[in-house]
Amino acid sequence: MRIDLLTLFPEMCETVLSESIIGRARKKGAVQICCHQIRDFAYDKHNRVDDSPFGGGMGMLLKAEPIALCIDDLIDQLGEKPHLIYMSPQGKTLTQQRVKELAKYENIAFLCGHYEGIDERIIDEYIDEEISIGDYVLTGGELPALVVADSVCRMIDGVLSDDECFQEESHFNSLLEYPQYTRPAVWRGRKVPDELMTGHHQNVQKWRREQSLLRTAEKRPDMLKTAELTKKDKEFLTKLQNSAKNNEI
Ligand SMILES: C[S@@+](CC[C@H](N)C(=O)[O-])C[C@H]1O[C@@H](n2cnc3c(N)ncnc32)[C@H](O)[C@@H]1O
């Protein structure tokens, strides 16, 4: 897979994307990531990429043409249009489900806005999808694009090693992950649950599944509506509900 970021701050993005798991994945060729400087496509003598909005008002907007030239250059490089995402607080909020779907594209590109955002005509002309990382406003689209790029990269074959597998992680199957512990077995008087110390694989799996259900019921009950639950899961959750009711009485 190839991921491109169109931004006024390519160095900032490069720094983050060169570290740790994503940095290693890039080095071994599991994913290709390129950052492009929108300012390289400014066409006036001051290299300006922003201007004041028509109709007045606060702040500056990114002009259409430098962004358009940057996108066209990317399309020339790829030989086709990538799935082009504008990072925006007005977009659909990112979910793990959308991350899984995005990981199936050959080429995705993120356009990072800045200042008050971008000229609307770029959205009309080029953008396939707007994604928000939450209902709050940041100064630029770089951090949101890095969040999406990171979450998508983790889904690509060869990025995570087997022992970092994502399938049991929170949100993958609409459940939160079970609690985890490492050595020492007792830390400041707090013991690791006995179930994890027996070495009995089936008991460990059963305990983990139940803890996962328990956590989700406690912290994010809304997620249980879309989780795929077995008969045993449902029985366990009913028991939980009944014991909660009994405790209330
Ligand atoms: C200050 S914001 C512009 C907000 C815009 N004026 C509005 O009210 O919708 C500047 C840029 O940051 C990015 N951004 C800010 N918050 C975001 C969020 N929650 N999710 C994704 N991108 C965001 C977008 O790329 C946006 O163009």
Side-chain angles (χ1 to χ4, degrees):
M1 180 186 212
R2 172 165 164 161
I3 298 176
D4 292 89
L5 285 87
L6 283 53
T7 164
L8 292 179
F9 302 96
E11 294 83 8
M12 169 185 171
C13 300
E14 267 300 336
T15 303
V16 174
L17 295 166
S18 303
E19 293 288 333
S20 184
I21 294 171
I22 310 295
R24 286 197 296 275
R26 288 175 77 184
K27 274 192 194 132
K28 68 179 181 187
V31 60
Q32 193 186 352
I33 304 181
C34 304
C35 301
H36 308 264
Q37 172 57 272
I38 296 170
R39 202 177 290 282
D40 289 346
F41 299 88
Y43 47 84
D44 73 2
K45 60 180 181 193
H46 303 293
N47 274 351
R48 273 191 70 179
V49 289
D50 60 316
D51 208 336
S52 51
F54 280 119
M58 304 269 285
M60 302 294 270
L61 276 184
L62 286 180
K63 288 154 68 78
E65 189 61 7
I67 296 176
L69 292 174
C70 188
I71 296 172
D72 290 345
D73 183 65
L74 175 60
I75 294 171
D76 280 350
Q77 282 181 37
L78 296 175
E80 62 178 356
K81 185 173 174 287
H83 182 70
L84 190 48
I85 300 166
Y86 173 47
M87 299 313 305
S88 164
Q90 301 183 22
K92 274 213 183 127
T93 309
L94 185 68
T95 61
Q96 187 65 43
Q97 180 53 34
R98 190 63 196 135
V99 168
K100 278 189 226 174
E101 290 158 5
L102 289 174
K104 293 184 187 141
Y105 283 94
E106 275 294 305
N107 296 314
I108 54 174
F110 299 103
L111 172 60
C112 308
H114 210 71
Y115 312 116
E116 278 303 305
I118 64 174
D119 189 305
E120 188 70 18
R121 290 167 292 185
I122 285 292
I123 299 175
D124 301 338
E125 180 83 10
Y126 289 103
I127 296 300
D128 297 305
E129 177 177 8
E130 292 181 56
I131 295 183
S132 164
I133 59 161
D135 289 345
Y136 43 83
V137 176
L138 299 163
T139 55
E142 286 72 21
L143 291 174
L146 290 168
V147 166
V148 185
D150 184 293
S151 60
V152 168
C153 284
R154 304 181 84 249
M155 297 287 115
I156 299 169
D157 277 349
V159 170
L160 296 183
S161 58
D162 278 350
D163 56 3
E164 292 162 333
C165 184
F166 52 77
Q167 309 234 357
E168 292 196 349
E169 280 180 319
S170 298
H171 299 286
F172 192 80
N173 288 317
S174 284
L175 289 177
L176 300 179
E177 195 179 48
Y178 45 80
Q180 302 202 73
Y181 306 85
T182 184
R183 274 173 276 274
V186 183
W187 177 76
R188 297 193 181 178
R190 293 171 190 272
K191 271 185 69 200
V192 171
D194 290 338
E195 290 84 346
L196 297 177
M197 307 301 285
T198 58
H200 189 292
H201 180 68
Q202 270 179 337
N203 285 354
V204 170
Q205 288 309 99
K206 179 172 179 284
W207 183 85
R208 285 182 166 165
R209 183 73 184 176
E210 289 180 355
Q211 288 296 314
S212 188
L213 292 164
L214 175 65
R215 290 216 140 172
T216 312
E218 280 173 0
K219 295 186 182 183
R220 290 289 306 275
D222 56 302
M223 286 170 60
L224 289 174
K225 285 183 206 136
T226 49
E228 270 185 41
L229 300 174
T230 63
K231 198 170 157 239
K232 273 193 181 154
D233 293 337
K234 288 178 190 161
E235 283 167 5
F236 177 77
L237 287 168
T238 310
K239 251 201 263 167
L240 266 186
Q241 271 174 349
N242 290 342
S243 73
K245 270 187 209 151
N246 290 340
N247 286 341
E248 275 169 22
I249 296 167

